[in-house]
Amino acid sequence: MSRSTISEPRMDSVGVLAEPVFASVVVRERKAQGDVDLVAALLDATSSEHTRRAYRKDLSDFFEFRYGCAPGNNVVNDFVCLSSERAAFALTVFRKTLEDRGLSPATINRKLAALQSLLSTAARHGVRDAGRRAIVALPHVEP
């Protein structure tokens, strides 16, 4: 497998990619052997129809926010192959945007949980290194 030289992604003022950058050529090549649809794998592993519906919307919201498009395989693979620091930064910026929109802490937690579950699904399927984590402090849910 060969590595391609990829330049650093250009970000706008709030940390959203100015254009999609598909950075992990090696992981994408390894993934292409099995071609796992990570969103479908995550939703299939979720037993509750209500949770599947919410996660589907939550993932769409994030990928529209970050990449300006629906969560297709290319942008999903780009996201799950980010370094832990970049993934955490992306989730932190997204969380701040949700807070600014006035969403409840419980809704914000669910949206972030969907994304963290996507990262875990990627690790289970060998698309993301299992040792990489993107942990973001979740807002406290006030009673």
Side-chain angles (χ1 to χ4, degrees):
M1 260 183 257
S2 63
R3 282 187 186 260
S4 297
T5 304
I6 306 288
S7 61
E8 287 295 308
R10 291 182 313 120
M11 305 290 252
D12 69 11
S13 61
V14 294
V16 177
L17 284 176
E19 58 192 53
V21 177
F22 307 110
S24 185
V25 175
V26 172
V27 173
R28 242 190 4 254
E29 286 175 3
R30 187 174 74 212
K31 183 229 160 254
Q33 297 170 355
D35 263 346
V36 176
D37 181 338
L38 295 172
V39 173
L42 170 62
L43 297 175
D44 289 346
T46 306
S47 59
S48 165
E49 179 57 38
H50 177 73
T51 302
R52 277 194 300 274
R53 189 173 33 251
Y55 274 19
R56 193 175 294 116
K57 170 117 177 61
D58 296 340
L59 294 172
S60 290
D61 287 350
F62 174 76
F63 285 99
E64 284 291 335
F65 166 78
R66 178 151 173 91
Y67 295 96
C69 61
N73 280 346
N74 284 341
V75 293
V76 169
N77 289 335
D78 184 58
F79 172 66
V80 302
C81 292
L82 291 175
S83 68
S84 294
E85 295 79 17
R86 287 186 181 203
F89 178 75
L91 294 177
T92 301
V93 171
F94 185 55
R95 181 188 72 195
K96 176 69 174 132
T97 301
L98 298 173
E99 289 170 348
D100 291 347
R101 285 176 33 197
L103 296 179
S104 74
T107 299
I108 295 169
N109 286 341
R110 189 199 65 229
K111 288 179 179 292
L112 294 174
L115 290 160
Q116 290 175 331
S117 292
L118 180 64
L119 293 171
S120 295
T121 299
R124 275 195 310 279
H125 287 277
V127 179
R128 180 176 176 82
D129 293 335
R132 292 206 287 187
R133 296 281 181 240
I135 303 302
V136 175
L138 299 176
H140 246 27
V141 178
E142 299 295 326

